[in-house]
Amino acid sequence: MSTTRYRHVPSDVPPEEAGPNDLELRGRPAGLPSPEELARLHPDTPFLISYSRISDDWRKNNSKKAAKSAWSAGKGVANQHRRNLKNAGRYGVVIVHLYTDNDLSASKRDVVRPDFQAMLRDLKRGHTPEGYPVHGVICVDQDRVQRTDRDWEDFVEAITLDPSRRFYTPSGPMDLTEESEIIKTGIMAVVNKAESMKKKRRIRDWHQDRILDGLPHSGPRPFGWEEDRTTLRQAESDYLSWAIDERIKGKAMSTLCAEAKVRSLTGSLGGEIVPQTLTQMMTAPRVCGYRANRGQLVLDDDGEPVVGVWETVTTPEKWEAVCATFGAGSTYLARGSGTPAITGIPKTIKYLGSTLLRCQYRIEEEKDGASTTRVCNGAMSGSKATRSKRSPYVYTCGSCSHNAISGPMVDQQLQRLVLAKLKKAEATFIPVKVAWPDEKKLQQKADKLAELERQWQADEVPDAMFYRLAPPLEREVKKLRSERAKFELAAATKNEAPDVVAKRWVAGEYDLSQKRQVLFEIFAAVQVLPGQKGNKKPNPNRLVPVWN
């Protein structure tokens, strides 16, 4: 018996331009008559749902590969529907509705397949949303419906609510109420589940072998390396090495990103280099040759990091040091929100003396009938001057709003005081080598963790005990290593000779963040005395330094 095959046309394609391969992936076919008219035209013809699913639509997820392919995203599931339509013609049935789950795995427990659930609802109520009766389901293979036994049980229960319904594949229709079909499809469900588990294991083992061999990650080219992910790309790696060194010295992320623009560099995918992406680049373990997996450093049997075969940008010591300049949540191994925090210095991006200056305006107060005065001592911050023609910005007290001072004059005076202090300190400067006091503790914890993992690998420690004891040890080792890196960074900064600091300041090598770091190391605060009304000439004598 021959039947009319109703074609599915995408909604964004005009009917006169639609080709024979154009497929709509959801809903009723184009030109399909109403339920009543279709029943009149095909009184003895089964009406089916077509279901299509693909686990990984790589064209949807990889625009670079998709650009080289003649296929577009969604083509795979569209082809499944096209084969279903062809098979429907062979079996003398009509497809009245299409359901599609694209780029959705059926083997992961936490993945919800919305169209699969919609199909089950239609089977249970016996008709599609448009009112067409449902006499069965057609798909290109049983594993499109299920890859786990729980899916198959739900599907069989829904389709057999009406015993006359059939399940169609290229092999023909199946009656899932018959014992032989139940046994056959049940065995296939188990086989499909085993095949899915085997595929996962092969992929996992493949990645693990690459990790242990020190081979680079698959996926997009990392910034700093060529397409082989092993050889350095000179311009990018030079910039990345420079950025790591300058960040350790205290440069702000905005300064480092600005340098990328000067060098006309973009990310490996062509995007602008911004602080968040640059943070990930600099703190990725691969820059020093280490291998990471799922946010953790990969360690060998001795508890030491696995070293990769690729060329490196920096040393492990510098990698640890640059990681220590960021908050715990912003590095590659701890992705998430986080604010760069080198020291406890209040952050500013525009004005040198903000929050270092302290207002000395005296506020009169009435207390218990007596008049008293107190010093405001509020932090003063920079802002653009709206009234002054001489000064483009001023420092103003945010607490009392009664004290303001010329910004350029203050910054110039602060620089004079800093350079004078550095020159005086050079005569008595002696570099001091201080060892981190918790080095022994870190070594003990690292050895303990390595021994615990060795015992677990040798089946000397049960899984339950290992997973209970290992995470706290891992967190403590990670914390201690971060503390050591921060200590060494602070020690290196303090051991820089005063004359070197002065030369770098004058030469313009320091950005605003680094200059403020020097200020907060030299000054405890800088007091700002109130000005005299009517005196518009900037007066440096209003500044009273409080030295550390």
Side-chain angles (χ1 to χ4, degrees):
M1 177 179 61
S2 62
T3 61
T4 303
R5 291 170 55 198
Y6 299 97
R7 192 160 49 87
H8 290 251
V9 182
S11 57
D12 59 345
V13 177
E16 63 273 10
E17 298 179 12
N21 295 325
D22 290 325
L23 295 173
E24 176 62 70
L25 303 185
R26 286 182 174 84
R28 60 183 287 182
L32 190 69
S34 66
E36 296 77 12
E37 181 66 15
L38 188 65
R40 188 184 65 80
L41 292 173
H42 307 286
D44 301 320
T45 302
F47 300 154
L48 305 185
I49 288 174
S50 172
Y51 181 72
S52 171
R53 178 188 63 81
I54 277 184
S55 297
D56 182 14
D57 185 357
W58 59 263
R59 293 171 186 83
K60 175 182 176 183
N61 300 320
N62 193 320
S63 57
K64 187 175 181 181
K65 285 186 179 180
K68 299 179 181 179
S69 172
W71 281 20
S72 60
K75 187 67 173 176
V77 284
N79 281 342
Q80 289 183 27
H81 282 309
R82 183 167 59 186
R83 289 197 293 272
N84 288 341
L85 286 166
K86 182 178 179 181
N87 289 330
R90 287 172 50 205
Y91 301 137
V93 298
V94 173
I95 293 177
V96 296
H97 204 91
L98 274 71
Y99 280 121
T100 305
D101 285 315
N102 189 34
D103 201 36
L104 289 174
S105 171
S107 59
K108 296 180 180 178
R109 292 188 176 274
D110 57 344
V111 173
V112 176
R113 293 185 288 158
D115 271 25
F116 177 75
Q117 297 299 325
M119 179 178 66
L120 293 184
R121 288 194 298 270
D122 281 358
L123 288 171
K124 289 176 181 178
R125 66 185 180 180
H127 59 83
T128 69
E130 299 84 8
Y132 296 97
V134 177
H135 301 133
V137 175
I138 187 169
C139 60
V140 296
D141 198 285
Q142 179 181 332
D143 69 356
R144 294 304 89 195
V145 173
Q146 57 80 221
R147 293 300 293 271
T148 63
D149 48 3
R150 71 183 185 281
D151 283 344
W152 188 243
E153 290 174 4
D154 291 343
F155 176 73
V156 171
E157 179 183 354
I159 197 171
T160 56
L161 287 174
D162 182 345
S164 65
R165 290 176 183 156
R166 298 293 181 263
F167 176 53
Y168 290 78
T169 67
S171 301
M174 287 184 281
D175 181 359
L176 298 182
T177 62
E178 289 188 3
E179 184 177 346
S180 60
E181 295 289 1
I182 293 174
I183 293 173
K184 184 174 73 173
T185 57
I187 292 173
M188 284 302 302
V190 173
V191 171
N192 288 336
K193 182 177 181 180
E195 186 64 30
S196 178
M197 294 175 65
K198 186 174 15 176
K199 182 180 178 182
K200 285 182 181 179
R201 185 176 68 250
R202 286 199 301 265
I203 294 173
R204 186 171 61 246
D205 290 346
W206 180 80
H207 281 292
Q208 190 64 22
D209 289 340
R210 289 181 64 86
I211 290 170
L212 295 178
D213 290 340
L215 296 175
H217 288 278
S218 57
R221 175 185 73 84
F223 181 87
W225 284 266
E226 299 289 352
E227 291 291 348
D228 62 7
R229 296 165 180 77
T230 302
T231 309
L232 291 176
R233 181 170 289 193
Q234 204 61 46
E236 294 180 357
S237 61
D238 287 349
Y239 165 74
L240 200 52
S241 176
W242 170 85
I244 290 171
D245 289 344
E246 294 303 311
R247 176 64 182 178
I248 292 172
K249 294 173 185 176
K251 266 194 171 50
M253 293 300 294
S254 56
T255 304
L256 303 181
C257 292
E259 178 65 20
K261 284 188 177 181
V262 172
R263 301 190 187 195
S264 301
L265 294 175
T266 60
S268 57
L269 298 179
E272 180 184 353
I273 296 178
V274 296
Q276 184 178 5
T277 55
L278 182 56
T279 300
Q280 299 294 316
M281 293 175 188
M282 293 194 299
T283 62
R286 74 164 11 255
V287 297
C288 69
Y290 288 168
R291 189 68 156 84
N293 186 42
R294 296 180 180 273
Q296 296 289 332
L297 275 182
V298 179
L299 306 178
D300 59 21
D301 293 339
D302 298 324
E304 295 298 319
V306 171
V307 179
V309 298
W310 54 85
E311 296 178 357
T312 59
V313 171
T314 191
T315 64
E317 292 75 21
K318 286 186 177 180
W319 172 71
E320 289 188 357
V322 78
C323 287
T325 67
F326 296 100
S330 58
T331 62
Y332 177 91
L333 293 178
R335 298 189 178 202
S337 60
T339 303
I342 300 177
T343 66
I345 301 171
K347 183 182 177 182
T348 182
I349 58 172
K350 290 186 178 180
Y351 304 105
L352 184 65
S354 288
T355 69
L356 176 69
L357 305 180
R358 291 288 176 167
C359 173
Q360 299 301 295
Y361 182 81
R362 290 190 169 272
I363 302 173
E364 295 185 0
E365 294 180 337
E366 291 284 339
K367 189 174 182 180
D368 298 331
S371 296
T372 60
T373 60
R374 65 173 181 85
V375 176
C376 172
N377 201 39
M380 300 180 68
S381 299
S383 60
K384 287 185 179 180
T386 56
R387 298 180 181 178
S388 175
K389 294 182 180 179
R390 296 184 180 182
S391 179
Y393 62 96
V394 295
Y395 290 104
T396 308
C397 177
S399 297
C400 68
S401 302
H402 288 299
N403 199 1
I405 191 168
S406 169
M409 183 276 292
V410 168
D411 291 354
Q412 187 178 24
Q413 187 66 8
L414 288 177
Q415 178 169 310
R416 289 175 180 171
L417 291 170
V418 165
L419 295 178
K421 185 71 173 180
L422 291 172
K423 185 176 182 180
K424 184 178 180 181
E426 177 60 29
T428 57
F429 174 72
I430 301 175
V432 179
K433 183 67 176 178
V434 182
W436 185 53
D438 288 332
E439 184 66 44
K440 186 176 180 180
K441 181 180 178 182
L442 171 58
Q443 192 60 49
Q444 289 174 343
K445 296 292 183 182
D447 291 345
K448 190 174 181 180
L449 179 60
E451 177 61 18
L452 178 62
E453 186 159 357
R454 186 200 65 76
Q455 292 176 351
W456 177 67
Q457 294 284 359
D459 292 329
E460 297 173 8
V461 172
D463 290 350
M465 181 179 293
F466 174 76
Y467 289 116
R468 186 175 68 252
L469 298 178
L473 273 174
E474 289 174 342
R475 287 193 293 269
E476 195 161 358
V477 168
K478 187 175 182 180
K479 179 183 176 184
L480 288 169
R481 282 177 175 161
S482 177
E483 289 177 356
R484 180 181 64 184
K486 290 178 181 178
F487 177 87
E488 291 173 349
L489 172 63
T493 303
K494 290 180 180 178
N495 274 329
E496 198 168 32
D499 65 327
V500 174
V501 176
K503 288 177 182 177
R504 294 185 65 193
W505 183 299
V506 174
E509 293 183 25
Y510 285 156
D511 67 0
L512 184 61
S513 177
Q514 290 170 300
K515 288 181 177 180
R516 282 176 54 77
Q517 185 175 347
V518 174
L519 286 179
F520 277 84
E521 288 175 358
I522 292 178
F523 299 106
V526 175
Q527 298 175 340
V528 180
L529 301 175
Q532 294 180 350
K533 287 186 178 182
N535 185 7
K536 297 183 179 180
K537 184 178 180 181
N539 180 11
N541 294 326
R542 291 177 58 192
L543 300 177
V544 181
V546 181
W547 308 100
N548 272 326

